Amino acid sequence: MERESIDQQLLQGKEAARCGDLALALKLLQGVVEVEPRNEQAWLWLSAVVDGEADRRLCLENVLVLN
């Protein structure tokens, strides 16, 4: 996946989260971290849309490791 495409997918995921479309945000943001596991912003936004404390914790732990 090209850099521009990843950036666009991240922006779409963030916007979906802001609009309350959590299912779409989850799909888009998971796609970003699969391709780019060191994307701190994607992990942070993903933490806001995952279901469950364990998944949220995992996302935030990844943010801390990256930053």
Side-chain angles (χ1 to χ4, degrees):
M1 193 177 281
E2 294 181 22
R3 173 87 243 150
E4 185 176 312
S5 178
I6 293 168
D7 290 343
Q8 186 64 30
Q9 189 168 340
L10 177 59
L11 286 173
Q12 290 173 344
K14 290 163 58 173
E15 186 59 28
R18 284 188 195 108
C19 291
D21 190 345
L22 302 185
L24 178 59
L26 181 65
K27 178 182 175 187
L28 291 166
L29 295 167
Q30 283 178 329
V32 173
V33 297
E34 284 176 11
V35 173
E36 197 173 86
R38 297 193 52 80
N39 190 314
E40 181 183 346
Q41 284 291 307
W43 283 113
L44 182 61
W45 279 91
L46 190 57
S47 74
V49 299
V50 292
D51 190 31
E53 282 300 312
D55 289 338
R56 186 169 294 112
R57 178 183 294 271
L58 175 67
C59 292
L60 293 173
E61 286 174 352
N62 282 321
V63 171
L64 289 173
V65 166
L66 294 171
N67 188 334

